[in-house]
C-alpha cells in the first residue's frame, strides 16, 4: 500500500480519525489558497486536478500538479502559519476532504493516530519535493516529459499544453516540437 493510499484510507474512514474533516467542492478555476493568505488547511484531493504555482519576476511558475488521492496545501504556510508564497488553483472541478490546522494540532496533543497522519503527510510531501528537485537538476525537459507520460498520463489529457510547458520550464512551441518527435 502506498503512502497516499494509506492516507486516503485514513481519511475515507473519517469516523476513526481523531480530528474532524469537512468535505467541500470547488469549481473549475477556483483559487483555494491565494498568495499572501495564511494556509489554514491541508486538503486531501478526492477528485480533480489542482495546480500549485507562484509568481516570479518573469511570470507565473507552475511548481506542481496534484491529482486524486494527493495531499495538497501551501504546506510551509500551513506549518508556520505565515502568509503563503504559492497559490492553489483548481484546473477542474474538485472534491476535497479538508483537515483544519487548529483541529489537527489539537489532536496532535492526545492522539497517536493524528501524529502518525502528520508524520506520513510530512514525509510524503517531502519525498515528492526531493524527487522533483532531483529531476530538475538531473533530467532535461524531454526526460521529464516522458516521465509525465509514463507516471501521470491523466496530466497529458486533462491539462492544457501551455501549462505543462510552464511546469517543465519550456516554451509551448518547444513542447509541441518535443511531442512531435516522441510520437
Amino acid at each position: 500500500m502506498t503512502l497516499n493510499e494509506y492516507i486516503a484510507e485514513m481519511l475515507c474512514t473519517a469516523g476513526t480519525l481523531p480530528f474532524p474533516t469537512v468535505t467541500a467542492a470547488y469549481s473549475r478555476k477556483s483559487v483555494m489558497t491565494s498568495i499572501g493568505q495564511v494556509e489554514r488547511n491541508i486538503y486531501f484531493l478526492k477528485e480533480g486536478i489542482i495546480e500549485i504555482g507562484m509568481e516570479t519576476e518573469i511570470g507565473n511558475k507552475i511548481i506542481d500538479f496534484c491529482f486524486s488521492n494527493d495531499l495538497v496545501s501551501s504546506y510551509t504556510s500551513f506549518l508556520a502559519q505565515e502568509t503563503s508564497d504559492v497559490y492553489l488553483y483548481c484546473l477542474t472541478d474538485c472534491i476535497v476532504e479538508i483537515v483544519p490546522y487548529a483541529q489537527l494540532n489539537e489532536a496532535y496533543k492526545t492522539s497517536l493516530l493524528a501524529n502518525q497522519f502528520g508524520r506520513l503527510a510530512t514525509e510524503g510531501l517531502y519525498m515528492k519535493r526531493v524527487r522533483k528537485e532531483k529531476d530538475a537538476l538531473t533530467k532535461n525537459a524531454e526526460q521529464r516529459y516522458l516521465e509525465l507520460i509514463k507516471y501521470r498520463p491523466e496530466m497529458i489529457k486533462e491539462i492544457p499544453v501551455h501549462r505543462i510547458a510552464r511546469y517543465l520550464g519550456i516554451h509551448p512551441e518547444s513542447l509541441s516540437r518535443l511531442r512531435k518527435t516522441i510520437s
Side-chain angles (χ1 to χ4, degrees):
M1 178 181 294
T2 69
L3 176 65
N4 281 356
E5 290 169 340
Y6 180 72
I7 292 172
E9 184 178 304
M10 288 176 72
L11 286 168
C12 289
T13 55
T16 63
L17 293 174
F19 49 83
T21 63
V22 177
T23 303
Y26 288 86
S27 61
R28 181 177 173 265
K29 297 186 177 181
S30 294
V31 176
M32 293 173 58
T33 302
S34 300
I35 293 173
Q37 171 186 342
V38 175
E39 181 65 83
R40 304 280 184 215
N41 303 304
I42 291 180
Y43 306 93
F44 176 74
L45 185 57
K46 293 173 98 173
E47 293 178 26
I49 302 172
I50 295 173
E51 172 185 301
I52 303 173
M54 64 188 317
E55 294 174 1
T56 68
E57 292 177 6
I58 57 172
N60 283 358
K61 174 70 177 151
I62 296 173
I63 298 170
D64 212 347
F65 296 104
C66 296
F67 301 92
S68 298
N69 292 332
D70 280 345
L71 285 172
V72 60
S73 181
S74 174
Y75 201 56
T76 55
S77 173
F78 179 81
L79 290 175
Q81 287 297 280
E82 297 176 352
T83 58
S84 176
D85 58 353
V86 299
Y87 62 82
L88 305 180
Y89 177 79
C90 298
L91 291 175
T92 63
D93 290 340
C94 294
I95 298 174
V96 296
E97 200 68 34
I98 299 172
V99 179
Y101 177 85
Q103 286 85 353
L104 181 59
N105 272 305
E106 194 58 37
Y108 282 159
K109 296 174 187 174
T110 60
S111 170
L112 181 61
L113 185 60
N115 281 280
Q116 183 180 29
F117 171 84
R119 190 195 88 231
L120 291 173
T122 300
E123 288 173 1
L125 292 168
Y126 175 77
M127 292 302 293
K128 185 175 183 180
R129 174 66 56 217
V130 167
R131 270 188 237 109
K132 186 167 176 9
E133 288 173 2
K134 285 180 181 177
D135 285 353
L137 292 170
T138 61
K139 296 177 181 168
N140 63 33
E142 180 178 349
Q143 291 168 318
R144 293 191 321 268
Y145 181 71
L146 288 171
E147 284 191 2
L148 289 178
I149 293 171
K150 182 178 179 181
Y151 295 110
R152 292 295 195 175
E154 69 274 25
M155 186 176 199
I156 306 307
K157 296 175 189 163
E158 301 288 332
I159 300 173
V161 171
H162 71 278
R163 291 188 181 278
I164 295 171
R166 204 173 337 146
Y167 171 73
L168 292 171
I170 61 176
H171 290 84
E173 299 80 16
S174 299
L175 179 57
S176 293
R177 281 191 298 275
L178 179 61
R179 292 171 78 179
K180 286 179 187 175
T181 63
I182 292 171
S183 302

